Amino acid sequence: MGKEKVISPEKAAKKREKEARQLARLEREQTKSKPAGYMAYFMLIISVIYIADEVTSQIGTQMQSVIANQVFAPVVGAEFAVARMSTFGMAALPFTVVAMFLYNPLSDRYGRKIFLVINTLGMGVATMLISVATNIPVYILGTCLVSFFIPHDMQAVYIYESTPAQHRAKIYSVVKAVATLGMMIIPLLRSAFIPGTDLSEWRMVYRVPSIIALAVAIAALFLIRESDAFMESRIRQLKMTDEEREAAKEKKQVTGEKIGVVEGLKYILSHKQRLWIGIANGFTICGMVITMYYESTMTHGFAQHFVSSGMDLETAKLEANAYVSMALMLFPIGSALFQAVQGFFSDAWGRKPTAILMSAVSMISFLIFYIGANQFWNPYLVGFLAGAAVGSYWASGDIVGLIATESTPTTVRASVGAAGPIILGIIALPVFVIFFVLMNMVGDTMIGPLCLIYSTIGLGIGLLILWIKVKETKGVDLANLKGDEFE
């Protein structure tokens, strides 16, 4: 054990004064009765925020070939436009790191609401910036802002912390499914503004979701109250005496006095359950490549039909654009279906079996999707299969995330979440570097097979670790979780 940092009497007094003010504010808010119909409009606003988050997360992927054609191909050439765009996109990584390590943990001290609002506003500003980009640097700046604001999923934390334990996964999965269906706005906007081979109006596809995000952020600021679990947990922590805090530390329980990535990392390293979750996630995250390149895989698959008829590849990809827009109409339905059912399975069977089932569905769906795109199957069927592959992967990832949430006390949940990528990155980062090197070597046409091989290996290893080393968390009471339950 290291020595505790000595705080001067003046700083200690200021700290107690700040905590007293926060305690009084939280107690006032907690004692206020919720307005009639609060849960209904709470779920509505959270669902719209989730739609904004899903659209912001996926629009770069679903517009991948369009952006590559309009922004990157004139500079780097059409053959490697997507690969080079992905390489330039690595510039966003430091923004994600800063957001996760320094920004995200602050919600453990200051509450969930303010960061829910800021993140949603940030997504709106980021997509608006991309919509006005006329060159690579401005586009990359927009993607950097997206990378800063989307990783936190504060809307998911709100759902976890504001719903009954026995229905937590079901409610979350239904809201997530609604949000996934909301992604249909992207292909609808693609069809409206870039219906054929003329891609010049692509900016409007970004501009409309931007306005929606900005509007719902303002609504959340005035209409949503603080998370119930955060208020209960933080009030209890602020009322603890020095003796109670020392006793809790002896039992490896969390007092919530300290926040930040260092404290989160200490928690992970001292609690086996959370450590093994981090290691497992380091491998399962490899499956994320199928969520990043399904649009490019689809575009190149459909384009092969036109190439075989004598077209050059660049013209063939433009011809494939209309078919891709058609396919993306069914993408949200395939994705939403599997994200909706996983919550019911998870609450009934447990978290771990459902994660394995969803991962198997993801790999099988992606394989059939790849074959269908290259064989020029009906675009609606191809889009549904792409959605099934991506949706079931995110369903599996959401379950692993829920296991992590249900293994971490509320007062350090964001701090531990911020530290988790350290464990994840040690495992995944070198392998992702290899993936990007291979992608730049083989070119855009081989991205599909590369994604399938890479994700299958990563998911297989990660889920094996999860099954053997991680304990089931179904039914945990998040408000009263202290940190020693899984030791």
Side-chain angles (χ1 to χ4, degrees):
M1 293 288 292
K3 293 182 179 179
E4 292 289 331
K5 184 179 178 181
V6 178
I7 302 176
S8 68
E10 294 80 6
K11 287 186 177 180
K14 287 182 179 179
K15 179 183 176 184
R16 286 193 295 270
E17 185 181 342
K18 286 176 64 176
E19 289 184 344
R21 288 198 301 269
Q22 186 181 28
L23 176 60
R25 177 178 61 80
L26 290 173
E27 286 182 324
R28 283 196 304 271
E29 185 167 1
Q30 190 180 46
T31 55
K32 288 180 182 178
S33 59
K34 294 178 180 177
Y38 173 79
M39 188 53 65
Y41 71 74
F42 165 78
M43 295 302 293
L44 174 62
I45 292 172
I46 285 293
S47 296
V48 177
I49 288 175
Y50 224 136
I51 290 172
D53 181 89
E54 288 293 297
V55 169
T56 304
S57 301
Q58 290 294 315
I59 193 169
T61 302
Q62 296 201 3
M63 291 287 287
Q64 200 168 62
S65 296
V66 175
I67 299 295
N69 177 280
Q70 292 291 288
V71 180
F72 285 83
V75 180
V76 302
E79 185 179 357
F80 288 90
V82 174
R84 300 293 187 266
M85 182 167 66
S86 299
T87 304
F88 276 105
M90 294 293 287
L93 183 60
F95 286 77
T96 302
V97 172
V98 170
M100 294 300 293
F101 288 1
L102 300 180
Y103 170 75
N104 193 43
L106 296 175
S107 68
D108 281 339
R109 177 163 295 167
Y110 299 108
R112 313 306 193 199
K113 176 179 175 177
I114 185 62
F115 294 96
L116 179 76
V117 173
I118 292 172
N119 293 343
T120 310
L121 283 171
M123 287 186 272
V125 171
T127 46
M128 184 62 75
L129 181 59
I130 293 174
S131 77
V132 300
T134 57
N135 53 53
I136 292 176
V138 176
Y139 171 78
I140 294 300
L141 179 59
T143 61
C144 288
L145 288 179
V146 169
S147 296
F148 184 89
F149 288 110
I150 65 169
H152 315 291
D153 286 340
M154 196 57 66
Q155 68 280 357
V157 175
Y158 248 99
I159 296 168
Y160 293 150
E161 294 184 353
S162 303
T163 53
Q166 69 270 28
H167 302 301
R168 186 178 297 137
K170 289 192 287 288
I171 293 172
Y172 171 78
S173 64
V174 170
V175 173
K176 183 71 180 288
V178 170
T180 303
L181 287 173
M183 287 195 305
M184 197 176 288
I185 190 175
I186 303 173
L188 287 172
L189 291 171
R190 276 183 61 132
S191 296
F193 294 107
I194 47 174
T197 58
D198 181 7
L199 309 182
S200 60
E201 293 297 317
W202 66 268
R203 302 174 193 283
M204 290 300 298
V205 183
Y206 277 86
R207 203 159 291 161
V208 173
S210 171
I211 294 169
I212 293 173
L214 294 171
V216 74
I218 295 171
L221 178 63
F222 292 103
L223 297 176
I224 287 183
R225 55 185 269 161
E226 186 56 81
S227 147
D228 294 333
F230 174 81
M231 285 193 289
E232 183 177 341
S233 180
R234 182 65 173 159
I235 287 171
R236 184 174 58 248
Q237 182 266 316
L238 291 171
K239 286 183 173 180
M240 289 177 74
T241 64
D242 292 340
E243 291 76 15
E244 288 173 332
R245 295 182 186 191
E246 288 301 320
K249 288 177 185 177
E250 291 296 322
K251 297 178 183 178
K252 294 179 73 175
Q253 296 177 352
V254 172
T255 64
E257 291 179 82
K258 298 178 181 179
I259 63 166
V261 68
V262 173
E263 295 305 316
L265 185 59
K266 286 180 181 178
Y267 182 92
I268 292 173
L269 295 177
S270 61
H271 291 75
K272 292 180 182 178
Q273 170 89 348
R274 201 57 183 79
L275 178 60
W276 282 114
I277 292 170
I279 294 171
N281 203 27
F283 289 100
T284 59
I285 201 72
C286 295
M288 192 169 68
V289 295
I290 70 168
T291 75
M292 299 163 63
Y293 297 106
Y294 62 84
E295 193 267 358
S296 293
T297 300
M298 193 187 303
T299 298
H300 280 273
F302 286 142
Q304 294 309 308
H305 173 76
F306 299 104
V307 169
S308 63
S309 301
M311 281 188 191
D312 64 273
L313 180 60
E314 187 171 358
T315 304
K317 287 195 294 185
L318 289 173
E319 289 293 334
N321 175 65
Y323 294 90
V324 172
S325 293
M326 291 167 64
L328 290 176
M329 292 289 187
L330 268 288
F331 175 90
I333 295 175
S335 186
L337 174 63
F338 288 95
Q339 293 190 64
V341 300
Q342 63 91 357
F344 294 86
F345 293 156
S346 183
D347 279 339
W349 301 343
R351 313 308 191 206
K352 297 196 295 183
T354 308
I356 292 170
L357 172 64
M358 290 295 105
S359 296
V361 171
S362 178
M363 294 301 93
I364 294 170
S365 299
F366 189 82
L367 174 61
I368 301 173
F369 151 71
Y370 176 74
I371 294 171
N374 280 272
Q375 294 298 315
F376 208 70
W377 288 359
N378 183 288
Y380 294 111
L381 174 60
V382 172
F384 180 86
L385 289 168
V390 173
S392 49
Y393 169 76
W394 284 128
S396 176
D398 286 340
I399 295 167
V400 176
L402 180 55
I403 294 172
T405 296
E406 293 178 335
S407 301
T408 311
T410 301
T411 48
V412 292
R413 190 163 293 134
S415 297
V416 172
I422 296 177
I423 307 296
L424 183 153
I426 290 171
I427 300 167
L429 187 58
V431 192
F432 267 102
V433 170
I434 294 170
F435 178 87
F436 285 123
V437 170
L438 289 173
M439 185 172 65
N440 277 275
M441 290 173 60
V442 301
D444 294 355
T445 56
M446 291 300 294
I447 287 176
L450 194 60
C451 288
L452 183 63
I453 295 168
Y454 183 84
S455 55
T456 301
I457 294 172
L459 282 169
I461 296 172
L463 292 170
L464 182 63
I465 294 170
L466 188 77
W467 184 258
I468 295 172
K469 291 293 187 179
V470 176
K471 296 179 181 178
E472 183 60 62
T473 62
K474 175 186 163 186
V476 164
D477 181 0
L478 293 183
N480 293 301
L481 197 64
K482 295 181 175 65
D484 58 348
E485 287 82 357
F486 300 100
E487 296 304 303

